[in-house]
Amino acid sequence: MATPCGAHPGALRSPTAAQDSSNSEDFAGRFSIPVSSTWENQYSRQDEMLLRTTSMFSDQSHQTCCAQPPNWGRVGMKIVAMVAGFAVIVIALEEFASDEVQRVSTRVMDVLGLPGLFITVFLLDSLPQPFTYVPLIFLAVKDGSASRRVVFAVCSTASYCAALTGYAVGRGMRT
């Protein structure tokens, strides 16, 4: 029988006569619920539904609340693999598609400019979406119309403003 993480199997049984007379039942030492004899049938049905629900999701709930510590070696290998993959892609673009990348980056920066770069980075960083603005930074640097320091300043300012906006929105939702 599957039980919620941290609860022992007897913690979700219906009340016995001794527990009923004390007018409370202790669930694994976590909390107490008043119990009367009129609640017994309803309470048993609630226990049964809870057990069915937790048994359906027992693997997921067990992994969520009783997860093992991360394997740092594996995490480190994933980070190294991602950085290496990114480096290979950048080197391949520089080697095989340098002229095309230069043309595209010039067009993009002619259309956007630094104000458009700020607005785009702000929107991409503040709205929940699965894309990153890193390729846009690559195109802005590759264009060469603005120095790397200026591109860094514009992008970091836009990202900071997006973070402040997200904080303000969250604070406004909270109150």
Side-chain angles (χ1 to χ4, degrees):
M1 174 186 325
T3 60
C5 186
H8 59 82
L12 297 176
R13 291 192 191 132
S14 61
T16 64
Q19 290 168 332
D20 192 27
S21 65
S22 70
N23 203 23
S24 70
E25 181 176 0
D26 187 26
F27 283 102
R30 296 184 196 249
F31 55 89
S32 295
I33 296 178
V35 176
S36 68
S37 59
T38 59
W39 283 28
E40 188 167 347
N41 289 337
Q42 178 183 359
Y43 192 68
S44 297
R45 280 183 259 133
Q46 289 174 347
D47 282 344
E48 185 178 333
M49 288 179 7
L50 178 64
L51 287 174
R52 284 184 185 166
T53 304
T54 56
S55 66
M56 286 190 312
F57 302 106
S58 64
D59 292 337
Q60 294 171 351
S61 64
H62 181 72
Q63 290 173 355
T64 301
C65 67
C66 302
Q68 298 294 324
N71 182 350
W72 292 110
R74 188 173 181 198
V75 170
M77 289 302 293
K78 283 184 178 183
I79 292 172
V80 167
M82 289 177 67
V83 170
F86 181 75
V88 166
I89 290 171
V90 168
I91 291 170
L93 282 173
E94 284 292 325
E95 185 67 32
F96 300 112
S98 181
D99 295 335
E100 290 83 4
V101 170
Q102 184 65 41
R103 254 184 287 140
V104 168
S105 64
T106 302
R107 281 189 202 155
V108 168
M109 288 309 293
D110 285 344
V111 170
L112 289 179
L114 291 177
L117 179 65
F118 179 91
I119 292 169
T120 305
V121 169
F122 176 82
L123 290 174
L124 288 175
D125 210 15
S126 61
L127 298 174
Q129 42 81 28
F131 306 110
T132 180
Y133 56 85
V134 173
L136 189 60
I137 295 172
F138 176 76
L139 292 176
V141 169
K142 184 72 174 165
D143 175 49
S145 62
S147 71
R148 290 181 182 191
R149 289 182 184 198
V150 171
V151 170
F152 173 77
V154 167
C155 292
S156 60
T157 304
S159 183
Y160 185 74
C161 289
L164 288 177
T165 302
Y167 174 77
V169 168
R171 184 165 173 89
M173 290 173 61
R174 185 173 176 216
T175 57

